[in-house]
Amino acid sequence: MRILLVLAHPLEDSFAAAVARTACEALEASGHVVDLLDLYAENFDPRLSKAERGGYFDIPYDTSAVADIVARLKAADGLILVFPQWWFNFPAILKGFFDRVFAPGVAFSHDAAGGRIVPQLTHIRLLYALTTTGSPWWLVRLYMGDPVRRLLKRGIAAFCSKRLNFRMLSLHDMDRATDAKRRAHLDRVRKLLSAIS
């Protein structure tokens, strides 16, 4: 399987970067091809331009400004996102990735009858999110309602693909995580990704 692995963290020595390295190693050891898209290292601009927004309903929609990344997404069989949750949400650079790359004609198309959108990423068989939060699990899930999981599963996955395998693996309370807890999380990442067939 060809996996587009998207890393969204500005620090090269971050735990998110360690998760991405672990993910790459586990996937490649299982025979998968990994295309690592480090949004910061590749200087991805998350800002939706005036022209992009202005032409949102044009057919065809102009994705030329992000054509390379669109091609990488279209070549993938699976998508794995590695990112921290900041303020119970995506980092701005990852939100911009969705805004600019998951565009009409790429991730979905507008139904000519109006209203609904039609999934276009039907070749994507899995969407995994490997993430961390600074808050404890109960605050994220019970108080906040797990907003990132809901957005990914009910929004992006459901609207852009069909019948894909969605998983989210989170290390909660990251700010107080011990080295042992971080190592255990990396082991869970290895186990999860080694099981992909």
Side-chain angles (χ1 to χ4, degrees):
M1 185 180 293
R2 184 174 182 85
I3 305 288
L4 180 61
L5 195 155
V6 180
L7 172 61
H9 198 292
L11 302 178
E12 294 148 358
D13 61 349
S14 67
F15 186 67
V19 169
R21 282 191 300 276
T22 300
C24 284
E25 291 165 5
L27 290 164
E28 289 173 346
S30 296
H32 302 289
V33 175
V34 179
D35 177 6
L36 175 61
L37 170 56
D38 182 333
L39 294 172
Y40 281 95
E42 295 193 28
N43 203 27
F44 176 74
D45 184 352
R47 297 171 300 168
L48 188 69
S49 72
K50 184 176 179 179
E52 287 168 328
R53 183 58 198 153
Y56 202 73
F57 291 97
D58 291 352
I59 298 175
Y61 177 75
D62 182 9
T63 58
S64 60
V66 289
D68 177 59
I69 297 176
V70 166
R72 292 163 75 177
L73 178 62
K74 286 183 174 183
D77 304 303
L79 178 62
I80 296 178
L81 308 171
V82 180
F83 61 96
Q85 294 181 45
W86 291 332
W87 289 108
F88 307 100
N89 210 329
F90 304 111
I93 201 165
L94 184 58
K95 177 62 169 67
F97 169 78
F98 295 134
D99 290 346
R100 297 189 70 210
V101 178
F102 279 52
V106 177
F108 65 92
S109 60
H110 294 104
D111 183 356
R116 58 191 274 287
I117 60 176
V118 180
Q120 296 293 309
L121 292 178
T122 54
H123 60 285
I124 298 289
R125 300 186 345 228
L126 68 83
L127 170 57
Y128 286 8
L130 309 176
T131 184
T132 59
T133 70
S135 300
W137 72 269
W138 59 266
L139 185 62
V140 174
R141 291 187 190 159
L142 304 178
Y143 182 72
M144 293 301 295
D146 219 349
V148 167
R149 178 185 292 275
R150 280 188 291 116
L151 285 167
L152 285 172
K153 186 174 184 178
R154 295 183 191 172
I156 292 170
F159 292 147
C160 298
S161 189
K162 292 182 178 181
R163 296 178 296 278
L164 62 69
N165 179 5
F166 174 79
R167 297 287 303 269
M168 187 161 148
L169 185 61
S170 301
L171 175 61
H172 296 287
D173 216 4
M174 175 66 192
D175 299 339
R176 289 169 290 283
T178 63
D179 286 343
K181 188 173 179 182
R182 292 178 188 189
R183 283 194 302 272
H185 185 73
L186 293 176
D187 287 341
R188 285 192 296 275
V189 168
R190 273 187 210 93
K191 184 176 180 182
L192 175 67
L193 301 185
S194 295
I196 294 173
S197 56

